[in-house]
Structures are given as structure tokens and as C-alpha cells.
Amino acid sequence: MSSGLPARLLRRREVSRRASFLELFFDLAFILALNRLSQALEDDLSVDGAFRTALLLAAIWWVWFVTAWSTDWFEPRTPLITALLLWVMFGGMLMAAAAPTAYAGHALVFAGAYVAIHLGRAALLLPALRGHPLQLRTLRVAIWFAVSGVLWLVGAFVGPAQVVLWTAAVVLDYSMARLRWPTPALGRSSWENLQIIGEHLSERYQKIFIIALGELILTAGITYSERGFDLGRSLAFALMFINAVSLGRLYLVPGGMRLGAAIEALGPPGSKLGLLAGYLHLVMIAGVVATGVGSRLMIMEPFSHDRVALVTMVAGPALFLSGWILFALAVHRRISWHRLIGMLAVVVAAVAGRDQSLLVNSAIITGLLILIAHSDTLASRARPARRLP
């Protein structure tokens, strides 16, 4: 490994693989982001509104993911990386604050912060990595973020085409990562140059998922506190809590999903699995966001028959389960049939109970989530542990 500043910046692969205090502090910005995204979705529960919110979530998630990947390589306690994390954290908070009005007056704040985060990261790292092979990788990434940055910034100024341009920018950012940032005259990064510490990245995913659940509880708790403590809302609040616990258990058991061990077992190609896990965690966290919005609407009006609110309540667990099923398929190379059946049962139950109140439908969904979690326990006892390749 190179001596000097580049060597001091890099995380030694043999040292502690636990997330640092600064990384966990950085995650706090995600609480604000999820809260503001929940508000944006609640303000517009149409199909178009859901897509626009998903677009904002994809951008914010990419900021978190790229930062988590960076801190897997770099030592967070060095002054430069500390400054970098704080820079990204502040930019992420600006994006979060602008999210509810990103399509109505504050598009430039959201897009400008996104572009500044990624290009600012490169501006700090490129000089510091002079003479190290990772400088070339950082340059490739920076070039593609500059390209997508044009789409983000132009979209902020061109209202009618904003969603189209921002969608193209998100697709470009996500696809270039999977293609390892192929760049004219510079080639593309190898999986060896992208190799990650599986245990560290797996822990980062777990922590951010717990934060998403925390935001769900926070938002629902504030709503309950503001709306009153009558019997209907108290039951709704209790169901929300059971749902949050169920989602947490369904995420962690079985596995959380032994992702770290799977990445380590694959060696450098395990980076592909780590990247795929990032995409699928986005789906699961989107499910938590939708669950939070549905819970808030139910607590406000537990005996309402609002169909849109019901769809939101169902979409949350369905998104989470679909992301988890694909996650399990990627890690274990098998389909979790009982979860797939459970997901379909949630949808069917909601269709059958569409004339019932939100409180009744939530009770049914909660019962199904508990049954799915219980079936996990039975399945794990009946099936011997499968060795990772």
C-alpha cells in the first residue's frame, strides 16, 4: 500500500469492522430525510405523487449509500474523512428540508445539494489520493456524477421536464455503479478496486433500517400525541407499534440476513452482492416510509374508509416483503415461499376488506405479519442451515 497521506486515509482491512461513532452520527440526517419524505407522500397520495416521492427517496438513498461505501474504504477518524462526512451530512439535511417542496419552488436547493455532495466528495478525495490507484476510481465516479449533475440542475430550472430529467439522472447514477463507471480513456473499475468489508456494510444496512423504523414510530407517536388518546386512536397506535416490531423481526430473522458472511465468502465479486443489497434496501425502506404514512393516516382517522389511505397501508408491507424476498434470493439463492404467499395474502385481505375501516384492515395486516414472522421460525427449525458458497 502506498505510504503518506493516501495510506493514512484508508481503512485497514484487519482493524475493527464496526461502524464508527461519526458514521452513526451521519445516519441521523436520514431521520429528517425520511420524515420530510413521509410528509411529501402524505401531501400527494396520487400515483404521480408516489412516483415523485420515490424519486426523491432514490436520490437521498444514493447519497447515504455512496457515503456508506466510501467509509468502508476510508478511515472516518482522519480529519479529511471527518470533514467529508460532515459535508455530506449537511448537504443531506438540505436535501431533506427541501424534499416536500422539491417540485414546488425549492428544486434548485434539492438538486444543488445533491450535486454539491458528490462533486465535493471528489474535490476532497482526488488531491488527497494523488499517487494511489484509488484516485483513478474516484475520478471515474466524479466524471459520471458530473454528467448526471447536469440533468439534476437542468431539471431544477425546467419545470415541465423536471421529473423526466431527474428520473434519467437517477437511472444514470444507479446503472453506472452497476457497470463500474466505464469511462472513455479511463476504462472501468475492477471488482477488486471496489471490494468491501462485508461485516461493516451489513452493519451499516442494519443500522439505517432501524433508523427508518425509528422514524415510523416517531411520526406516529407525534400524531397520536397531537390527536388525542381516545380508544380508537389508542388501538391504532398499538397496531402501529406491533407492525414496527414485526417489520424489524422480519428484517433480522432469519439473517439480517448473513449478508456480511455472504459478501466475505465471495471475495471481490461480493461487491456486486453488496451493491444489489443497496438497491433492495431502498425498496424495503420505501416500504417502511409507506407504512409510516399509512399508520399516521390511520391514527388520525381510525374509523375512516378512505381507499387511498388503505392502499398506502397495504403498499408498505407489500414493498418491504417484495424487497426482502428478492434480498433473500440474492443472498441465499432461494425463494422464501411463505413470505411470498404472505405478501399476496396481505394484498388479497385488503381487497376483500376494502369496505372496512382502516383500523380493521390494519388489524388484519398486523395479524398476517405476525403469522409470516412465526412461519419464519417454523421454517428455520425445519430446515438445516445452508452453508454459504
Side-chain angles (χ1 to χ4, degrees), residues 160-197:
Q162 181 180 3
V163 173
V164 174
L165 290 173
W166 283 10
T167 300
V170 166
V171 171
L172 182 65
D173 286 339
Y174 277 62
S175 59
M176 284 302 104
R178 179 60 184 84
L179 296 173
R180 291 172 283 145
W181 298 282
T183 310
L186 298 178
R188 72 176 72 202
S189 298
S190 65
W191 288 118
E192 287 75 12
N193 284 337
L194 297 172
Q195 187 175 5
I196 52 177
I197 301 174

Side-chain angles (χ1 to χ4, degrees), residues 202-231:
S202 178
E203 183 186 4
R204 300 293 287 117
Y205 284 140
Q206 291 177 16
K207 293 293 191 298
I208 203 64
F209 187 81
I210 290 172
I211 280 178
L213 290 177
E215 194 284 326
L216 185 161
I217 294 173
L218 174 66
T219 302
I222 291 173
T223 303
Y224 179 52
S225 176
E226 292 175 345
R227 291 291 176 137
F229 298 84
D230 58 82
L231 179 60

Side-chain angles (χ1 to χ4, degrees), residues 18 24 27-28 30-31 34 61 64 202-218 244-245 247-252 256 281 284-285 288-289 320:
R18 303 299 302 273
L24 299 179
D27 288 349
L28 294 179
F30 209 65
I31 298 176
L34 292 178
W61 174 254
W64 180 89
S202 178
E203 183 186 4
R204 300 293 287 117
Y205 284 140
Q206 291 177 16
K207 293 293 191 298
I208 203 64
F209 187 81
I210 290 172
I211 280 178
L213 290 177
E215 194 284 326
L216 185 161
I217 294 173
L218 174 66
V245 172
L247 292 178
R249 189 181 187 281
L250 287 167
Y251 176 79
L252 292 172
H281 271 78
M284 288 187 277
I285 287 178
V288 175
V289 171
F320 167 79

Side-chain angles (χ1 to χ4, degrees), residues 15 43 68 78 130 144 152 184 194 196 216 272 310 321 350 366:
V15 300
D43 289 342
T78 58
R130 184 177 293 110
W144 280 110
W152 282 106
L194 297 172
I196 52 177
L216 185 161
K272 291 187 286 187
L310 175 59
L321 288 169
T366 300

